[in-house]
Amino acid sequence: EAGVTQSPTHLIKTRGQQATLRCSPISGHTSVYWYQQALGLGLQFLLWYDEGEERNRGNFPPRFSGRQFPNYSSELNVNALELEDSALYLCASSLRLGTLVRAQYFGPGTRLLVL
Amino acid sequence: EDKVVQSPLSLVVHEGDTVTLNCSYEVTNFRSLLWYKQEKKAPTFLFMLTSSGIEKKSGRLSSILDKKELFSILNITATQTGDSAVYLCAEGRVGGGADGLTFGKGTHLIIQP
């Protein structure tokens, strides 16, 4: 069974530009989560999508946005890039059954460098 | 204020030793406690614990949850160099993935040959 896939693996942008990161969940998973892992800060929850809708977001500014497509793949967009956006961006997917927490399975991440 | 606190932050042991990693969490709307192993990029799922006192095992790894004292431990016996990684603990709250998972900063474990 294929795991979560992300593209690109690395991305270099300059301040003020926009970045688009992509994620394909495990087959059958409808929920997609995005996390930011910046140096020294640990994994921080960014966004949660399920059934094509944004269900919740973490404590990040609106320039972090995204969407989920009908095939459950997802895109994370970061506008007006700032130096501190440099981080590893991890996507995870899970089944969603009612309100039960399900294990999230992570992709390999996209390393974003903002110069 | 950190809601999930892991200790120690780093640990260096020799191959064959047994290690215990700790994770404490907040009680509000708690649903489950998850452990992950992160070597290079993708955290790999290890365990999900929802019930107090029930040990989960996978080979040399085991974990248990104490919902009264609000902590979990991850044990690794007969450690090997391949166990070297950052071990992450995460709390899942009520409402499914409503808030995403809240992660601790991790324990960086180094196994010396």
Side-chain angles (χ1 to χ4, degrees), chain A residues 9-10 33 35 37 40 43 45 48 56 90 99-109, chain B residues 31-32 34 36 38 41-43 45 48 88 92-93 95-101 103 105:
Chain A
T9 55
H10 293 81
Y33 307 81
Y35 292 85
Q37 190 173 32
L43 273 154
F45 167 66
W48 169 39
N56 206 356
L90 290 162
T99 59
L100 295 176
V101 174
R102 294 290 168 182
Q104 295 178 20
Y105 296 88
F106 285 83
Chain B
R31 274 297 188 206
S32 63
L34 295 90
Y36 288 86
Q38 187 174 27
K41 282 192 176 180
F45 173 72
M48 185 166 77
L88 297 166
R93 302 284 177 88
D99 294 324
L101 295 175
F103 281 85
K105 286 190 165 51

Side-chain angles (χ1 to χ4, degrees), chain A residues 11-14 85-87 111-115:
Chain A
L11 192 56
I12 300 174
K13 295 284 185 178
T14 55
D85 296 333
S86 295
R111 190 165 294 282
L112 173 64
L113 177 61
V114 183
L115 301 174

Side-chain angles (χ1 to χ4, degrees), chain B residues 46-63:
Chain B
L46 294 175
F47 299 110
M48 185 166 77
L49 304 155
T50 55
S51 300
S52 204
I54 298 174
E55 185 183 50
K56 292 213 171 180
K57 282 180 72 81
S58 176
R60 296 176 294 102
L61 277 67
S62 64
S63 185

Side-chain angles (χ1 to χ4, degrees), chain B residues 15 24-25 32 35 42 48 51 53 63 77 84 97 100 105 110 112:
Chain B
E15 227 175 354
S24 64
Y25 62 91
S32 63
W35 285 96
M48 185 166 77
S51 300
S63 185
T77 59
S84 296
K105 286 190 165 51
I110 296 172
Q112 291 182 335

